[in-house]
Amino acid sequence: MKSHFWLLALFLFASPSIAAETITLHGAIHADRDISAVAFFDNMLVIGGDEAVGKKNNENYIQLLEKQGNNYRVSSDILIYSGNKKNGRELDIEGIAVDDRHIYITGSHALARKRVKLDNSYEKNLQRLQSIKPEPGRKQLFRVTLDQSYIVVQRQQISLAKLIKNDPLLAPFASIPSKENGIDIEGIAVKDGLIYLGFRGPVLRDGFAPVMRFDFDQPESSYQLLFLNLEGRGIRDMAAVSTGFLMLTGPVGDEPRSYRIYHWDGRDCIPGTDKKQQGKVTLLAEVDPPAGGKAEGIAVINETAELYHVIALFDGISGGAPRRYTISRPELDSGRK
């Protein structure tokens, strides 16, 4: 029996794609075709969408869903940000992470350029292409604290716009729309008390993607930028595991590029002859999204000495089309859990 188990684990690791078990989200899902972030809080599934809802299209929620068998049902809504015309109606929720009783919710901190419309005149389409929306509402990172009854007892927020503006590497990308390789934060994880933010864009020369690490309470003094090579892909989401992070990756913009899950040990991967420790990234699996879907969120259900059990959600499909995956841990994890 044990040999059969290891053959299964080897197959999952070596396969270009991984088998998925479909699960369903029940209840009134906000922006149900735009779910872009997922995490676990206790036994609750936490989701968020990158589009605002409500009568004025300015309400940005996260939702807690209770497990029912193999599926999940909406238990409560938490309003995170109520926007306006001046500051932007949407937070553009792109990542959710959990640490103790805290839930962290990040906006993309991204700019957007309007797309052309086939039924517009040339002049109107030219104007749309020339228009870049500043979207100040997106430049926020929230930390909400919940009690044992899942009631918000504290709400805090910071912006990373100043850190980005003052960083010599990131600053040039701060004025570029996200889908054109500009600033676009989409991944977030918490490990050992520090926040890790993964960038979908920019992706730098030689395929390096940045990750920002800092202490939420002292972001400027603790700030550090790390880099990992994802073969030209941007970070769509990330989740902490015992030996580092699982990185859900994909295209920066609309270019055809596959979605993949990597393991990253959390160390900087830029090479250097004077470095004592070199970071390592290991490809775990290809992810084949359902038709019309884009891989946007990943959360760890649990991990064993041999396997990761995760859930992934997909933007562009009603209800997020959540799937449960079982992935073999990379060899570097052996005996280190």
Side-chain angles (χ1 to χ4, degrees), residues 17-316:
S17 61
I18 45 178
E21 177 188 356
T22 301
I23 58 179
T24 305
L25 308 184
H26 297 285
I29 307 292
H30 294 306
D32 75 320
R33 299 186 66 88
D34 300 289
I35 300 175
S36 56
V38 60
F40 281 99
F41 185 87
D42 295 340
N43 293 321
M44 293 281 193
L45 187 71
V46 187
I47 62 172
D50 58 12
E51 297 290 338
V53 297
K55 292 182 179 180
K56 297 182 179 180
N57 291 322
N58 69 330
E59 297 174 355
N60 299 257
Y61 292 89
I62 60 171
Q63 295 181 281
L64 275 60
L65 290 85
E66 188 174 8
K67 196 172 189 298
Q68 292 186 343
N70 290 327
N71 302 310
Y72 294 85
R73 180 173 294 277
V74 174
S75 174
S76 62
D77 299 348
I78 299 176
L79 179 63
I80 299 299
Y81 171 68
S82 183
N84 53 56
K85 187 175 182 179
K86 178 181 178 181
N87 295 319
R89 297 185 183 278
E90 67 177 31
L91 171 59
D92 193 20
I93 295 174
E94 291 291 357
I96 297 173
V98 171
D99 179 30
D100 296 328
R101 305 308 301 179
H102 304 305
I103 301 178
Y104 297 85
I105 306 101
T106 185
S108 63
H109 287 67
L111 299 178
R113 189 189 303 276
K114 294 182 178 180
R115 307 186 73 163
V116 299
K117 295 184 176 181
L118 294 179
D119 56 351
N120 271 357
S121 68
Y122 173 85
E123 287 298 328
K124 286 185 177 180
N125 276 332
L126 182 60
Q127 291 175 6
R128 290 182 68 85
L129 286 178
Q130 292 172 340
S131 174
I132 298 178
K133 297 185 291 184
E135 300 290 0
R138 297 180 175 188
K139 299 177 182 180
Q140 301 176 90
L141 169 62
F142 287 85
R143 179 171 70 184
V144 295
T145 306
L146 306 188
D147 63 16
Q148 298 296 325
S149 300
Y150 305 109
I151 303 299
V152 176
V153 294
Q154 188 177 33
R155 184 189 305 265
Q156 300 162 284
Q157 71 183 86
I158 60 175
S159 173
L160 304 170
K162 185 177 180 181
L163 287 178
I164 293 170
K165 182 180 179 181
N166 292 334
D167 185 280
L169 189 145
L170 296 178
F173 297 95
S175 59
I176 301 174
S178 59
K179 301 305 183 287
E180 300 169 17
N181 206 36
I183 295 294
D184 191 0
I185 297 172
E186 292 213 359
I188 183 171
V190 186
K191 192 172 182 65
D192 300 326
L194 297 176
I195 309 296
Y196 289 75
L197 292 178
F199 287 72
R200 175 175 170 178
V203 172
L204 309 172
R205 189 167 185 176
D206 295 324
F208 285 98
V211 172
M212 183 185 291
R213 183 178 68 187
F214 58 94
D215 183 327
F216 183 90
D217 296 307
Q218 303 176 63
E220 294 188 11
S221 61
S222 60
Y223 166 82
Q224 185 178 6
L225 210 57
L226 307 172
F227 301 89
L228 63 159
N229 194 317
L230 301 170
E231 302 174 279
R233 291 166 177 79
I235 299 166
R236 308 296 289 247
D237 200 6
M238 58 191 296
V241 291
S242 60
T243 56
F245 303 88
L246 298 185
M247 313 297 293
L248 177 63
T249 69
V252 175
D254 299 323
E255 72 276 11
R257 193 180 290 274
S258 65
Y259 297 93
R260 289 180 171 179
I261 297 175
Y262 294 83
H263 176 277
W264 173 46
D265 67 3
R267 298 170 180 168
D268 191 286
C269 294
I270 292 180
T273 57
D274 56 342
K275 288 183 68 175
K276 294 182 179 179
Q277 294 181 326
Q278 180 67 26
K280 184 174 182 179
V281 175
T282 305
L283 174 62
L284 300 184
E286 298 274 355
V287 176
D288 185 20
K294 300 177 181 179
E296 286 288 319
I298 189 171
V300 177
I301 301 170
N302 59 59
E303 58 178 300
T304 68
E306 296 85 17
L307 301 169
Y308 298 119
H309 300 279
V310 305
I311 186 173
L313 276 79
F314 301 87
D315 191 2

